[in-house]
Amino acid sequence: MDLRKFAPFAGVAVLSVSLLAGCGGSSNNAASGGSSGAACPLTSAADPGNSQAPAGVPTADKAPKLTKTSGLKIAFSQNASNNPWRLAETASMKDEAAKQGLQLTITDANNDQSKQVSDIKGLIAQKPDALFIAPITEQIANVVKDAATAGIPVFLLDRAVDTNIAVPGKDFVSVMQSDFIQEGKRAAVQMAKATNGNAKIIELEGTTGASPAIDRKKGFDEAIKQCSGMQIVVSQDGDFTRAKGQSVAETLLQSHPDATAIYAHNDEMALGAIAAIKAIGKVPGKDIQVVSVDGEKDGLKAVAAGDLYATVECSPRFGPIAFQTMTDYAAGKPVKTLIINSDQLFTKDNAADNVAKAY
Ligand code: AHR
C-alpha cells in the first residue's frame, strides 16, 4: 500500500535516493564483475535513511470510540509465529500488556489467510475493547470492516490492508508500520554498493499480497531504474520463511546461473538463500551478494560474517507504540491514521555491535 494514499494532497515526503549522492563510496568484488559503477549514482549515494515523517496524515475521527480507560480487554490477531520477527513482535505486545496489567488474548493464524479471517471473527464475537491485527495480506480488509461495524476499534500492526475497502480513520483507527517503499530504496543503495552497480539480481519476495512484499519490491525497482547495470532477472515468492527462501533460491540459482546478487525481502529468506548459495559451492558476499530487510539476530551475524552485505532494519517491537496509541485514543487525544517507525541500517560497520540486543 502506497503510504501516499494516507495524505494524497500533502503527500508522504519520501526521500529520493537520486538526490542523495554523496559520501559512501563503492566496494569492488567478484560479484560486480569488476565493471565501473560510474553510470549508477546509487554506488556513491549515502543511505537514504528513514522517510521523513508523513505530512498531512488525517487523525482518526470516524472509528469506533474507546471510552474505557482501565481494565481493558485487548485482542491481537497475529498472522504467524514462523520466524524470529513474528515471535519478537508477539513478545513485545505481551510485555507491554503485562506492564500495563491488561488482559491480552492472542490468536496465531499460522500464515494462513482464511484462518486469520476466522480468528478475527472469533475475536469479534468475544467483544474486546480494542483489537490489534497484524494482517497477512492486504486482502483481509473486509473482516477489518466487520470489526469496526461491531463497534470495536481496530489498530493495524506492521502491515496494511486495502484502503479502498477498509477506510483509514473509520474502519481502523491507525496503521503502525515501517515505510516499506523506503526500505526497498535503502536496500537498493546497499545492493549497488555491494555490486558496484552491476548486478543480475534474483529477488525473493515476501508473501504475495502482503504490503511489505508489494512495497519492498516497488521501492527497490524504482531505485535501480537509475542503474542500467542492475537488473532483476527473476522474482519469486519466498513467503517470508527461511525454508521457502532456501528452496526457491536453490531453483532460481539453477535456472539463472549467471545471477550475481540476491535481494530478499526479509532476513529469513536471505539466510535460506545463503545456505542455497553455499550448497552449490559459491561464496556469498563474493560470488553472489545478498541484501535483505529486518535486522534479526541471525541476519546481523550473517552481516558480521560477510555472508550478507547489509540488512535494512524493520523493527518488530511494536508493543510500546501500539499500547501508547491505544491509550491516547482512549483518552480522546488525536491519533494519526498512519504512524511510521524509525529504522536503522545494519552493515559490516555496526552489525556485530548490535547482535546482543537483536531478537
Ligand atoms: O510485516 C513485516 C515483515 O513480516 C517482516 O519483514 C517479516 O520478517 C515478517 O514476517
Side-chain angles (χ1 to χ4, degrees):
M1 180 210 51
D2 192 329
L3 303 184
R4 290 169 190 84
K5 281 192 180 167
F6 277 81
F9 304 111
V12 173
V14 178
L15 298 181
S16 160
V17 290
S18 61
L19 298 176
L20 289 167
C23 57
S26 58
S27 66
N28 277 305
N29 48 63
S32 73
S35 314
S36 160
C40 173
L42 303 186
T43 60
S44 57
D47 168 33
N50 291 292
S51 52
Q52 289 172 16
V57 174
T59 54
D61 51 10
K62 295 189 181 65
K65 297 289 172 236
L66 174 49
T67 44
K68 234 170 126 179
T69 50
S70 64
L72 294 153
K73 257 180 22 188
I74 318 293
F76 174 34
S77 165
Q78 177 57 285
N79 62 43
S81 301
N82 58 357
N83 70 40
W85 197 100
R86 289 283 142 208
L87 296 176
E89 183 182 50
T90 301
S92 176
M93 291 295 284
K94 279 186 181 167
D95 287 353
E96 204 56 33
K99 262 190 219 161
Q100 302 201 13
L102 298 178
Q103 188 190 321
L104 179 65
T105 303
I106 302 177
T107 55
D108 172 7
N110 289 325
N111 206 23
D112 173 340
Q113 180 149 298
S114 55
K115 175 157 182 352
Q116 184 164 43
V117 170
S118 67
D119 283 352
I120 294 171
K121 287 186 174 162
L123 292 172
I124 293 171
Q126 293 174 31
K127 300 190 190 315
D129 297 303
L131 174 57
F132 291 101
I133 299 175
I136 292 190
T137 73
E138 296 196 356
Q139 279 88 57
I140 64 152
N142 279 315
V143 76
V144 169
K145 263 178 109 75
D146 291 348
T149 306
I152 301 165
V154 175
F155 299 82
L156 300 179
L157 293 187
D158 88 73
R159 293 184 190 175
V161 295
D162 186 344
T163 52
N164 295 313
I165 297 172
V167 179
K170 175 174 170 284
D171 297 318
F172 61 89
V173 177
S174 186
V175 55
M176 293 158 245
Q177 62 163 95
S178 291
D179 182 342
F180 303 127
I181 292 183
Q182 189 71 0
E183 288 174 348
K185 291 184 177 182
R186 296 177 83 176
V189 171
Q190 294 309 308
M191 185 60 89
K193 291 180 187 300
T195 62
N196 210 15
N198 287 284
K200 291 190 181 353
I201 305 162
I202 290 174
E203 180 178 29
L204 297 177
E205 292 184 39
T207 308
T208 301
S211 54
I214 297 166
D215 289 350
R216 285 174 188 164
K217 177 168 189 53
K218 193 171 184 174
F220 191 88
D221 283 355
E222 240 172 69
I224 67 166
K225 271 188 204 147
Q226 298 170 67
C227 302
S228 57
M230 294 176 75
Q231 292 112 27
I232 292 177
V233 291
V234 62
S235 187
Q236 201 171 308
D237 183 351
D239 209 16
F240 282 128
T241 68
R242 195 182 295 205
K244 183 94 185 278
Q246 180 166 351
S247 67
V248 172
E250 274 163 9
T251 306
L252 298 182
L253 283 166
Q254 278 201 354
S255 55
H256 294 80
D258 56 339
T260 57
I262 296 184
Y263 166 43
H265 288 190
N266 78 347
D267 285 349
E268 282 295 291
M269 292 189 294
L271 292 162
I274 287 166
I277 294 167
K278 290 180 176 172
I280 56 166
K282 290 196 174 176
V283 181
K286 187 169 166 278
D287 302 318
I288 302 196
Q289 294 290 350
V290 187
V291 170
S292 67
V293 183
D294 271 359
E296 66 169 66
K297 197 184 279 285
D298 283 355
L300 297 188
K301 285 182 184 168
V303 175
D307 288 345
L308 182 59
Y309 184 82
T311 179
V312 180
E313 187 190 27
C314 175
S315 174
R317 294 183 170 125
F318 277 91
I321 184 73
F323 280 78
Q324 186 58 53
T325 304
M326 181 189 73
T327 304
D328 288 350
Y329 191 65
K333 294 185 186 164
V335 165
K336 291 201 167 162
T337 53
L338 172 66
I339 296 168
I340 295 291
N341 286 346
S342 280
D343 293 309
Q344 53 176 319
L345 171 71
F346 297 113
T347 65
K348 63 177 178 350
D349 296 335
N350 63 353
D353 292 344
N354 281 285
V355 167
K357 51 179 185 259
Y359 49 93

